[in-house]
Short mmCIF file of all heavy atoms in Angstrom, two decimals:
data_model
loop_
_atom_site.label_atom_id
_atom_site.label_comp_id
_atom_site.label_asym_id
_atom_site.label_seq_id
_atom_site.Cartn_x
_atom_site.Cartn_y
_atom_site.Cartn_z
N SER U 745 -11.02 -19.06 -16.18
CA SER U 745 -10.49 -17.72 -15.92
C SER U 745 -10.15 -17.57 -14.44
O SER U 745 -9.08 -17.06 -14.07
CB SER U 745 -11.50 -16.66 -16.34
OG SER U 745 -11.07 -15.37 -15.97
N LEU U 746 -11.06 -18.01 -13.58
CA LEU U 746 -10.86 -17.89 -12.13
C LEU U 746 -9.69 -18.72 -11.66
O LEU U 746 -8.90 -18.29 -10.81
CB LEU U 746 -12.14 -18.31 -11.41
CG LEU U 746 -12.22 -18.08 -9.90
CD1 LEU U 746 -12.09 -16.60 -9.58
CD2 LEU U 746 -13.52 -18.64 -9.35
N ARG U 747 -9.56 -19.92 -12.21
CA ARG U 747 -8.51 -20.84 -11.74
C ARG U 747 -7.14 -20.49 -12.29
O ARG U 747 -6.12 -20.82 -11.65
CB ARG U 747 -8.88 -22.27 -12.13
CG ARG U 747 -9.92 -22.88 -11.20
CD ARG U 747 -10.27 -24.30 -11.55
NE ARG U 747 -10.99 -24.96 -10.44
CZ ARG U 747 -11.83 -25.96 -10.59
NH1 ARG U 747 -12.08 -26.44 -11.80
NH2 ARG U 747 -12.43 -26.49 -9.54
N PHE U 748 -7.08 -19.82 -13.43
CA PHE U 748 -5.77 -19.57 -14.03
C PHE U 748 -5.37 -18.09 -14.08
O PHE U 748 -4.20 -17.78 -14.27
CB PHE U 748 -5.71 -20.18 -15.44
CG PHE U 748 -5.81 -21.67 -15.43
CD1 PHE U 748 -7.01 -22.32 -15.71
CD2 PHE U 748 -4.72 -22.45 -15.08
CE1 PHE U 748 -7.11 -23.70 -15.68
CE2 PHE U 748 -4.80 -23.83 -15.04
CZ PHE U 748 -6.00 -24.47 -15.33
N MET U 749 -6.34 -17.18 -13.89
CA MET U 749 -5.97 -15.76 -13.81
C MET U 749 -6.49 -15.13 -12.52
O MET U 749 -6.53 -13.91 -12.40
CB MET U 749 -6.46 -14.96 -15.02
CG MET U 749 -5.60 -13.72 -15.28
SD MET U 749 -6.31 -12.51 -16.40
CE MET U 749 -6.16 -13.37 -17.95
N GLY U 750 -6.91 -15.94 -11.57
CA GLY U 750 -7.35 -15.42 -10.29
C GLY U 750 -6.20 -14.77 -9.53
O GLY U 750 -5.02 -14.98 -9.83
N THR U 751 -6.53 -13.98 -8.53
CA THR U 751 -5.53 -13.23 -7.76
C THR U 751 -4.48 -14.16 -7.14
O THR U 751 -3.30 -13.81 -7.06
CB THR U 751 -6.21 -12.41 -6.66
OG1 THR U 751 -7.25 -11.61 -7.24
CG2 THR U 751 -5.22 -11.49 -5.97
N GLY U 752 -4.90 -15.35 -6.72
CA GLY U 752 -3.96 -16.27 -6.10
C GLY U 752 -2.95 -16.86 -7.07
O GLY U 752 -1.86 -17.26 -6.67
N TYR U 753 -3.32 -16.92 -8.35
CA TYR U 753 -2.45 -17.55 -9.35
C TYR U 753 -1.51 -16.56 -10.03
O TYR U 753 -0.49 -16.96 -10.59
CB TYR U 753 -3.30 -18.25 -10.42
CG TYR U 753 -3.95 -19.52 -9.94
CD1 TYR U 753 -5.25 -19.52 -9.44
CD2 TYR U 753 -3.26 -20.73 -9.95
CE1 TYR U 753 -5.86 -20.68 -8.98
CE2 TYR U 753 -3.85 -21.91 -9.50
CZ TYR U 753 -5.15 -21.87 -9.02
OH TYR U 753 -5.73 -23.02 -8.56
N GLN U 754 -1.87 -15.29 -10.02
CA GLN U 754 -1.06 -14.34 -10.77
C GLN U 754 0.26 -14.06 -10.06
O GLN U 754 0.36 -14.15 -8.83
CB GLN U 754 -1.81 -13.03 -10.97
CG GLN U 754 -1.77 -12.08 -9.76
CD GLN U 754 -2.08 -10.66 -10.13
OE1 GLN U 754 -3.21 -10.30 -10.36
NE2 GLN U 754 -1.04 -9.82 -10.17
N PRO U 755 1.30 -13.72 -10.82
CA PRO U 755 2.57 -13.34 -10.19
C PRO U 755 2.40 -12.02 -9.44
O PRO U 755 1.72 -11.11 -9.90
CB PRO U 755 3.52 -13.19 -11.38
CG PRO U 755 2.62 -12.91 -12.55
CD PRO U 755 1.36 -13.66 -12.29
N SER U 756 3.02 -11.92 -8.26
CA SER U 756 2.96 -10.67 -7.50
C SER U 756 3.73 -9.58 -8.24
O SER U 756 4.85 -9.80 -8.72
CB SER U 756 3.57 -10.86 -6.11
OG SER U 756 3.64 -9.63 -5.42
N LEU U 757 3.14 -8.40 -8.32
CA LEU U 757 3.76 -7.28 -9.01
C LEU U 757 4.19 -6.17 -8.05
O LEU U 757 4.60 -5.10 -8.48
CB LEU U 757 2.77 -6.70 -10.04
CG LEU U 757 2.30 -7.68 -11.13
CD1 LEU U 757 1.20 -7.06 -11.97
CD2 LEU U 757 3.47 -8.11 -12.02
N TRP U 758 4.09 -6.44 -6.74
CA TRP U 758 4.41 -5.42 -5.76
C TRP U 758 5.83 -4.89 -5.90
O TRP U 758 6.05 -3.67 -5.92
CB TRP U 758 4.19 -5.96 -4.35
CG TRP U 758 2.75 -5.98 -3.93
CD1 TRP U 758 1.92 -7.05 -3.88
CD2 TRP U 758 1.96 -4.87 -3.49
NE1 TRP U 758 0.67 -6.69 -3.45
CE2 TRP U 758 0.67 -5.35 -3.19
CE3 TRP U 758 2.24 -3.51 -3.31
CZ2 TRP U 758 -0.36 -4.52 -2.73
CZ3 TRP U 758 1.22 -2.68 -2.85
CH2 TRP U 758 -0.05 -3.17 -2.57
N GLU U 759 6.80 -5.79 -5.99
CA GLU U 759 8.21 -5.35 -6.06
C GLU U 759 8.50 -4.63 -7.37
O GLU U 759 9.27 -3.67 -7.41
CB GLU U 759 9.14 -6.56 -5.90
CG GLU U 759 9.02 -7.26 -4.55
CD GLU U 759 9.30 -6.33 -3.39
OE1 GLU U 759 10.18 -5.45 -3.52
OE2 GLU U 759 8.64 -6.48 -2.34
N LYS U 760 7.85 -5.07 -8.44
CA LYS U 760 8.12 -4.49 -9.76
C LYS U 760 7.50 -3.09 -9.92
O LYS U 760 7.88 -2.33 -10.81
CB LYS U 760 7.59 -5.43 -10.85
CG LYS U 760 8.21 -5.22 -12.21
CD LYS U 760 7.87 -6.35 -13.16
CE LYS U 760 8.41 -6.09 -14.57
NZ LYS U 760 9.88 -5.95 -14.58
N LEU U 761 6.56 -2.74 -9.02
CA LEU U 761 5.93 -1.42 -9.10
C LEU U 761 6.94 -0.28 -9.06
O LEU U 761 6.74 0.76 -9.69
CB LEU U 761 4.93 -1.25 -7.95
CG LEU U 761 3.45 -1.43 -8.26
CD1 LEU U 761 2.64 -1.34 -6.98
CD2 LEU U 761 2.96 -0.42 -9.28
N ALA U 762 8.02 -0.47 -8.33
CA ALA U 762 9.04 0.58 -8.21
C ALA U 762 9.71 0.86 -9.55
O ALA U 762 10.28 1.94 -9.75
CB ALA U 762 10.08 0.18 -7.17
N GLU U 763 9.62 -0.09 -10.49
CA GLU U 763 10.23 0.08 -11.81
C GLU U 763 9.29 0.76 -12.80
O GLU U 763 9.69 1.03 -13.94
CB GLU U 763 10.63 -1.29 -12.37
CG GLU U 763 11.56 -2.10 -11.48
CD GLU U 763 11.74 -3.52 -12.00
OE1 GLU U 763 11.37 -3.78 -13.17
OE2 GLU U 763 12.23 -4.36 -11.24
N ASN U 764 8.08 1.05 -12.39
CA ASN U 764 7.09 1.59 -13.32
C ASN U 764 7.57 2.87 -14.00
O ASN U 764 8.09 3.79 -13.36
CB ASN U 764 5.79 1.89 -12.57
CG ASN U 764 4.78 2.61 -13.45
OD1 ASN U 764 4.50 2.18 -14.56
ND2 ASN U 764 4.26 3.73 -12.96
N GLN U 765 7.36 2.93 -15.33
CA GLN U 765 7.80 4.08 -16.14
C GLN U 765 6.64 4.89 -16.70
O GLN U 765 6.86 5.88 -17.40
CB GLN U 765 8.65 3.56 -17.32
CG GLN U 765 9.81 2.69 -16.92
CD GLN U 765 10.44 2.02 -18.14
OE1 GLN U 765 10.44 2.57 -19.25
NE2 GLN U 765 10.98 0.82 -17.94
N ILE U 766 5.40 4.47 -16.42
CA ILE U 766 4.22 5.06 -17.06
C ILE U 766 3.37 5.80 -16.03
O ILE U 766 3.15 5.28 -14.93
CB ILE U 766 3.35 3.96 -17.73
CG1 ILE U 766 4.19 3.06 -18.63
CG2 ILE U 766 2.20 4.57 -18.50
CD1 ILE U 766 4.77 3.75 -19.82
N PRO U 767 2.85 7.00 -16.37
CA PRO U 767 1.92 7.67 -15.45
C PRO U 767 0.70 6.80 -15.17
O PRO U 767 0.05 6.31 -16.09
CB PRO U 767 1.52 8.94 -16.22
CG PRO U 767 2.65 9.19 -17.16
CD PRO U 767 3.14 7.83 -17.56
N LEU U 768 0.41 6.57 -13.88
CA LEU U 768 -0.69 5.71 -13.46
C LEU U 768 -1.72 6.52 -12.68
O LEU U 768 -1.37 7.26 -11.76
CB LEU U 768 -0.18 4.60 -12.53
CG LEU U 768 0.70 3.48 -13.09
CD1 LEU U 768 1.10 2.54 -11.95
CD2 LEU U 768 -0.03 2.70 -14.15
N LEU U 769 -2.98 6.36 -13.04
CA LEU U 769 -4.08 6.90 -12.25
C LEU U 769 -4.76 5.73 -11.56
O LEU U 769 -5.27 4.82 -12.21
CB LEU U 769 -5.07 7.65 -13.14
CG LEU U 769 -6.32 8.21 -12.43
CD1 LEU U 769 -5.92 9.22 -11.35
CD2 LEU U 769 -7.28 8.84 -13.43
N LEU U 770 -4.78 5.75 -10.23
CA LEU U 770 -5.39 4.69 -9.43
C LEU U 770 -6.75 5.20 -8.96
O LEU U 770 -6.83 6.17 -8.18
CB LEU U 770 -4.52 4.35 -8.22
CG LEU U 770 -3.03 4.09 -8.50
CD1 LEU U 770 -2.29 3.81 -7.19
CD2 LEU U 770 -2.85 2.95 -9.48
N LEU U 771 -7.83 4.57 -9.42
CA LEU U 771 -9.18 4.98 -9.06
C LEU U 771 -9.84 3.93 -8.18
O LEU U 771 -9.83 2.74 -8.50
CB LEU U 771 -10.03 5.19 -10.32
CG LEU U 771 -9.61 6.33 -11.25
CD1 LEU U 771 -10.53 6.39 -12.46
CD2 LEU U 771 -9.62 7.67 -10.51
N VAL U 772 -10.41 4.37 -7.08
CA VAL U 772 -11.17 3.47 -6.20
C VAL U 772 -12.39 4.22 -5.67
O VAL U 772 -12.39 5.45 -5.58
CB VAL U 772 -10.32 2.96 -5.01
CG1 VAL U 772 -9.26 1.99 -5.47
CG2 VAL U 772 -9.67 4.12 -4.27
N GLY U 773 -13.43 3.47 -5.31
CA GLY U 773 -14.64 4.07 -4.77
C GLY U 773 -14.51 4.35 -3.28
O GLY U 773 -13.82 3.63 -2.55
#
């Protein structure tokens, strides 16, 4: 899981965020 779905391996979604069509709630502590 770490080697194949870790943050370094996943495709960057930063640029695609502008295309988002769904209401998003971002929760952080």
Side-chain angles (χ1 to χ4, degrees):
S745 174
L746 188 61
R747 281 181 165 154
F748 295 100
M749 206 194 288
T751 308
Y753 287 95
Q754 81 160 75
S756 174
L757 300 172
W758 281 102
E759 297 302 324
K760 201 168 176 61
L761 258 176
E763 304 171 14
N764 173 51
Q765 306 170 31
I766 309 294
L768 291 178
L769 177 61
L770 311 178
L771 295 179
V772 290

